[in-house]
Amino acid sequence: MLLLGTFNESEPLFIQIKERIEAQIMQGILREGEQIPSTTQIVKFYKINHITVTKGIKILVDEGIISKKRGVGMFVAPGAREQLLIARRLSFAENFVMPLVTEAHNLGMEREEVLEIINSTFPKYSQ
């Protein structure tokens, strides 16, 4: 079973299931066209409610990340990783960059000063 790890109490379980599948697609663990674990497998592995798992997977189906093949299973849809990358980049800008820029502005920091901080920190994570 690929969806390992423990759950936290700060987010609904169905969201955490959805996010684990997304993360594995992003990391290349689950590739386009590859079958994902069935709802039943996930339910048995985590000992959680079937409706909870179904709800998380339904979101991915509705977003076009997962495709269902009746009687066969669920598969990572073509273009799923790229779609997730685009969505996450937009989310990154909204949730991290905009608050950073706002706080920098509130502190009276200039663009160059913020960019200098980012540039000095970024190489640590790109190695």
Side-chain angles (χ1 to χ4, degrees):
M1 172 73 55
L2 292 174
L3 306 171
L4 298 176
T6 58
F7 293 111
N8 64 60
E9 294 184 21
S10 64
E11 270 187 312
L13 284 176
F14 74 94
I15 295 293
Q16 292 180 65
I17 293 291
K18 171 192 168 290
E19 289 175 349
R20 285 180 189 195
I21 294 170
E22 287 176 339
Q24 290 184 352
I25 293 168
M26 295 287 297
Q27 295 165 5
I29 297 168
L30 289 171
R31 293 191 166 90
E32 293 179 12
E34 191 170 296
Q35 190 169 9
I36 69 165
S38 71
T39 303
T40 303
Q41 289 173 315
I42 297 169
V43 166
K44 286 181 181 178
F45 185 81
Y46 288 116
K47 297 175 179 56
I48 57 178
N49 189 298
H50 193 273
I51 294 170
T52 300
V53 174
T54 301
K55 192 172 178 181
I57 290 175
K58 182 183 180 326
I59 295 169
L60 293 171
V61 170
D62 291 347
E63 292 176 350
I65 303 299
I66 300 295
S67 61
K68 287 185 176 184
K69 294 182 183 177
R70 178 164 267 159
V72 180
M74 296 174 291
F75 297 82
V76 178
R81 187 171 187 280
E82 186 62 30
Q83 185 178 338
L84 288 170
L85 277 171
I86 291 167
R88 289 201 174 187
R89 285 178 177 155
L90 289 171
S91 175
F92 174 75
E94 289 176 20
N95 296 320
F96 295 98
V97 177
M98 290 307 298
L100 174 114
V101 170
T102 300
E103 182 65 11
H105 176 75
N106 291 341
L107 294 171
M109 297 173 73
E110 296 294 325
R111 175 190 305 239
E112 292 74 23
E113 186 179 358
V114 174
L115 291 175
E116 185 178 311
I117 293 168
I118 291 170
N119 287 334
S120 69
T121 305
F122 201 81
K124 296 176 187 176
Y125 294 100
S126 62
Q127 296 176 355

